[in-house]
Amino acid sequence: MKELMKFIDASPTAFHCVENVKKALEEKGYKEFKESEDWKVKNGSKFYVKRNGSSIIAFNLPKKGFKGFHIYSAHSDSPSFRVKENPEMVFENNYVRLNVEKYGGMILSTWFDRPLSVAGRVVVREGDKLVEKLVNADRDLCVIPNVAIHMNRDLNSGYKYSAQNDLLPLFGGEKAKGTFDDFIAKEAGVKKENILGKDLFLYTRQKGTYAGAHKEFIVSPRLDDQACVFAGLAGFTDSESREYASVLAVFDNEEVGSGTKQGADSTFLEDSLFRVCEALSFTRSAYLRTISDSFNISADNAHGVHPAMAGKADPTSRPYLNKGVVLKYSGSQKYATDAVSAAYFKKLAESVKAPVQVYYNNSDVAGGSTLGNISTAHVSVKTADIGLAQFAMHSAVETMGSKDVTDLVKIVKAYYEE
Ligand code: CO
């Protein structure tokens, strides 16, 4: 799974993740359709559409028409810190810190004492036009230094961090004053005064690696959810669509509730599916028939039973790393899996001899949410919520099983080729 590590390493933000999905699609002959243009869709078309540069939906249409859509969805974003505008905060004329805010619900302590870099998107004035550019400092640039244990004796018994003070990264000494915007402009290859908008995030440049006596584990930043993006992309680009139109959907903003124009709680998927059918001259009822015979595999990582907190997991459903792709259920329907979608998914996994495990929240523990039930509200199709078992979800660096990704790729390929 060196390819997975390479993919994540090249994807410090949702913008870069989508750019890398796009590049992989283009290498396989996929063409870009823009939302603002007319779509020349035909049977056999292979294309993709982006929204906001941070979400992307790709289609591989069978040559002889299709019965429904086989959709696989995952998310491009991971918890991080967003750099605010005018970020420099000078401390006693000696240090410059950057003013940042939380993006998503991360384990704060994991962001301390590791080299951090800055990446994201800037919008630049070029003549009369506004042009978007990706930037990635791609060097160790900042650090959020801990306070010594001597000054904070209670740290190891639980400490309430102030995001507005404790988590601000150190950008430099006194010479760094007034240079952050210049630094970003230089990275973007433009003049500082021409940058009119910025979406910049901190990220760790730590590279993914194998760990464990037999390299059982992958330790890497952003496994949630780029491991699922990677598996979906690998299965998608390695499959032929037959009776169903293959759809790969990667959404931004899952970590902040998906409620943006490009998130799973937007019209992006619905709009795109409709436009494909419209371009193929489907009637409204033909469109609805197609939707009724469609399926969504919503892929977002799952919690493996943690040896240090085994009681937090459900007593009978015990997913472990490397023991199979995890099918996620929730009584409150935070996960959209039901008997019908579960049966379909299990049968699919069985067809490629990939093991499946099951996840429920322990009934006394509030769990997280994901994409499945949110996108189902817009495009009402049978949905299985699945994921890869991992530890330390939302840590700056997470741990998962090295075998599980391979299993998921096999399942995705079989799904698209049904
Ligand atoms: Co996730």
Side-chain angles (χ1 to χ4, degrees):
M1 275 298 127
K2 282 275 168 214
E3 303 98 316
L4 166 67
M5 297 178 201
K6 248 177 82 184
F7 180 86
I8 293 177
D9 185 41
S11 305
T13 71
F15 300 104
H16 294 82
C17 176
V18 162
E19 181 66 17
N20 289 322
V21 170
K22 174 194 140 142
K23 277 187 197 154
L25 291 169
E26 286 185 343
E27 267 169 32
K28 296 279 182 174
Y30 286 75
K31 296 267 177 294
E32 178 166 15
F33 285 173
K34 296 213 155 68
E35 287 200 283
S36 55
E37 292 169 0
D38 198 25
W39 291 8
K40 303 263 182 290
V41 177
K42 294 196 292 277
N43 284 324
S45 288
K46 293 180 168 194
F47 58 95
Y48 66 87
V49 54
K50 289 193 297 175
R51 190 177 275 189
N52 189 51
S54 59
S55 294
I56 188 166
I57 301 178
F59 287 87
N60 180 2
L61 304 184
K63 294 195 176 69
K64 292 180 180 167
F66 51 91
K67 298 201 282 197
F69 294 104
H70 270 190
I71 305 158
Y72 174 100
S73 48
H75 66 90
S76 54
D77 61 324
S78 301
S80 172
F81 291 87
R82 220 183 125 96
V83 183
K84 295 180 183 174
E85 284 211 28
N86 311 314
E88 290 183 19
M89 295 174 73
V90 180
F91 176 78
E92 297 183 3
N93 225 15
N94 267 292
Y95 308 116
V96 179
R97 295 199 295 172
L98 298 180
N99 190 8
V100 298
E101 61 182 333
K102 287 195 290 175
Y103 174 86
M106 73 284 279
I107 302 176
L108 291 170
S109 61
T110 61
W111 285 79
F112 285 94
D113 305 327
R114 56 171 79 241
L116 299 171
S117 193
V118 175
R121 163 180 77 174
V122 292
V123 178
V124 181
R125 176 172 35 212
E126 276 184 9
D128 283 347
K129 282 205 219 122
L130 295 175
V131 180
E132 293 180 29
K133 284 185 194 292
L134 296 189
V135 288
N136 181 2
D138 199 19
R139 78 169 178 83
D140 296 334
L141 184 69
C142 304
V143 62
I144 308 173
N146 246 305
V147 174
I149 192 73
H150 315 77
M151 314 273 177
N152 190 2
R153 293 276 180 197
D154 293 334
L155 185 65
N156 293 332
S157 348
Y159 174 77
K160 189 170 173 15
Y161 292 106
S162 154
Q164 188 57 71
N165 181 50
D166 299 335
L167 273 299
L168 302 188
L170 201 54
F171 171 60
E174 54 185 320
K175 273 205 209 146
K177 262 193 275 180
T179 65
F180 182 76
D181 286 348
D182 293 304
F183 182 84
I184 295 301
K186 196 162 162 241
E187 289 303 317
V190 300
K191 286 200 176 118
K192 175 168 79 172
E193 53 274 23
N194 286 335
I195 297 185
L196 301 185
K198 302 189 207 81
D199 291 313
L200 298 175
F201 297 87
L202 302 183
Y203 75 96
T204 166
R205 291 175 70 237
Q206 183 169 330
K207 291 196 188 321
T209 185
Y210 289 111
H214 299 281
K215 301 190 172 177
E216 298 91 329
F217 308 120
I218 293 174
V219 179
S220 167
R222 302 182 291 281
L223 290 173
D224 171 20
D225 190 30
Q226 290 189 16
C228 288
V229 173
F230 173 85
L233 178 64
F236 183 82
T237 51
D238 189 33
S239 58
E240 280 307 313
S241 53
R242 295 187 176 140
E243 305 219 328
Y244 291 90
S246 303
V247 184
L248 175 72
V250 178
F251 295 108
D252 192 6
N253 302 129
E254 192 278 337
E255 300 295 356
V256 290
S258 296
T260 59
K261 66 188 181 305
Q262 63 275 1
D265 199 2
S266 73
T267 57
F268 188 29
L269 180 62
E270 186 185 4
D271 293 348
S272 303
L273 299 179
F274 177 75
R275 289 185 69 170
V276 167
C277 291
E278 193 190 35
L280 293 170
S281 306
F282 282 31
T283 60
R284 170 98 181 134
S285 85
Y287 170 71
L288 294 174
R289 281 202 300 276
T290 306
I291 293 294
S292 80
D293 198 3
S294 295
F295 197 92
N296 185 8
I297 292 179
S298 157
D300 194 1
N301 276 356
H303 306 294
V305 178
H306 196 294
M309 219 170 257
K312 286 280 178 187
D314 181 74
T316 60
S317 298
R318 315 281 291 172
Y320 302 108
L321 275 57
N322 287 319
K323 292 289 163 66
V325 174
V326 181
L327 191 55
K328 302 190 278 185
Y329 294 88
S330 152
S332 62
Q333 294 300 302
K334 286 241 176 90
Y335 302 126
T337 310
D338 60 17
V340 173
S341 60
Y344 172 77
F345 186 80
K346 285 181 191 168
K347 189 163 163 274
L348 186 68
E350 200 179 79
S351 75
V352 291
K353 300 188 171 62
V356 171
Q357 315 181 79
V358 167
Y359 177 88
Y360 284 82
N361 290 323
N362 178 302
S363 305
D364 291 333
V365 176
S369 187
T370 183
L371 304 162
N373 68 329
I374 292 173
S375 60
T376 304
H378 292 271
V379 181
S380 308
V381 296
K382 293 185 273 294
T383 299
D385 265 303
I386 63 128
L388 302 168
Q390 68 160 96
F391 296 138
M393 192 177 284
H394 295 186
S395 170
V397 177
E398 303 169 323
T399 297
M400 66 180 287
S402 41
K403 177 178 173 287
D404 295 328
V405 195
T406 321
D407 283 336
L408 182 53
V409 175
K410 282 195 284 183
I411 294 172
V412 175
K413 182 170 154 66
Y415 173 57
Y416 283 136
E417 293 195 332
E418 191 190 327

